[in-house]
Amino acid sequence: MGIPLMDLSVSLGPLTLKNPIMTASGCCEYGLELAEFFPLDSIGAVVVKGLSPKPRKGNPIPRIAETSSGMLNSIGLQNIGVDAFIREKLPDLLSLGATVAANIFGETIEDYVMLARFCNEAGIPALELNLSCPNVHKGGMEFGVDPDVLHEITSRCRAVYAGSLWVKLTPNITSIVPLAEAAKSAGADAVTCINTLRGMAIDIKTGKPKLHTIFGGLSGPAIKPVALRFTYEVASRVGIPVIGCGGIVRVEDIVEFLLAGATAVQVGTILFREPDCPTTLVHGLSSFMEARGLSSIHDLIGKMVRHGTP
């Protein structure tokens, strides 16, 4: 594949990405395992799996179940902890030229602030606050469904973190707009729409749930229409930059998210089947634009929002 000719660069606050395509948190480990499939510096950013103050074992198995058009997971934010990540993984990611975004998770507000401070001191250029994971008993979605709590966590992280600050929002609510407004007013540079939808699956042979935790987070193509709707609602009503996430597998999916108002996108579940897809999508997006005579990605971003709804 050649170097894309189109201008695909986008900005999320103080951070400019060379193109709008990132990996989604939790769908690969820390990104290094993807380096054998594509150059990590060829995509906008690598969003690493959720980091907590201390190592976490995650939930008991089974914690993944395939569905007809996606996947249920209840991993429970298994990770090595922020110290080990910064010491053992970050140097290798940087040596490979990756733009790194750290997804962070805490059980208390102080956990988030501490993690944000650590990431700031480590010079990590982007931080995604996980206020939406449905698979933990403390923190995550528990915090992210309350605009006041979301605002407090975001504003306190903003006070100690100078890079590009994103808030990953939950779809497991009635309206996402108040959450996005809270993130914006607290100083977030962007919001990620969306995390997984809470669901379940049952093994009809045993009559038992397929996941140990009974419920898990649904991702993959099944949730794309929902993610697209939330992206459009936030982009058109709140005006904060949106990172679209949910069910993206093709270039046409990315174009839909951009037209709906997303500034960038994250690809997740497809990585399990096609680990080289991020760079394939970068070149595909460039070809799409070239075929239509577009010279800038900004010709697509928010086009539907600018033109209004029917």
Side-chain angles (χ1 to χ4, degrees), residues 193-204:
C193 293
I194 53 177
N195 208 317
T196 55
L197 285 153
R198 205 172 193 207
M200 65 180 292
I202 300 172
D203 185 335
I204 61 171

Side-chain angles (χ1 to χ4, degrees), residues 3 14 21 25 47 54 69 144 146 154 161 165 175 206 226 228 250 301 308:
I3 299 174
I21 298 171
S25 177
V47 185
K54 297 180 179 178
S69 55
D146 186 327
T154 305
Y161 181 73
L165 182 63
S175 175
T206 64
V226 180
L228 201 58
R250 308 173 304 156
I301 295 173

Side-chain angles (χ1 to χ4, degrees), residues 8-12 17 19-22 190-194 227-236 239-246 248 253-266 285 297-306:
L8 300 181
S9 63
V10 296
S11 294
L12 297 169
L17 307 178
N19 60 64
I21 298 171
M22 300 181 269
V191 293
T192 303
C193 293
I194 53 177
L228 201 58
R229 166 204 156 198
F230 281 132
T231 294
Y232 176 74
E233 286 187 346
V234 173
S236 60
I240 192 171
V242 178
I243 301 165
C245 180
I248 293 172
D253 298 327
I254 296 173
V255 173
E256 282 191 74
F257 274 94
L258 296 176
L259 292 173
T263 299
V265 298
Q266 295 175 354
L285 181 59
I297 193 74
H298 297 280
D299 294 333
L300 289 173
I301 295 173
K303 186 175 182 180
M304 179 180 165
V305 175
R306 293 195 298 272

Side-chain angles (χ1 to χ4, degrees), residues 158-172:
R158 176 79 288 171
V160 300
Y161 181 73
S164 186
L165 182 63
W166 316 335
V167 179
K168 191 167 188 176
L169 301 178
T170 177
N172 300 297

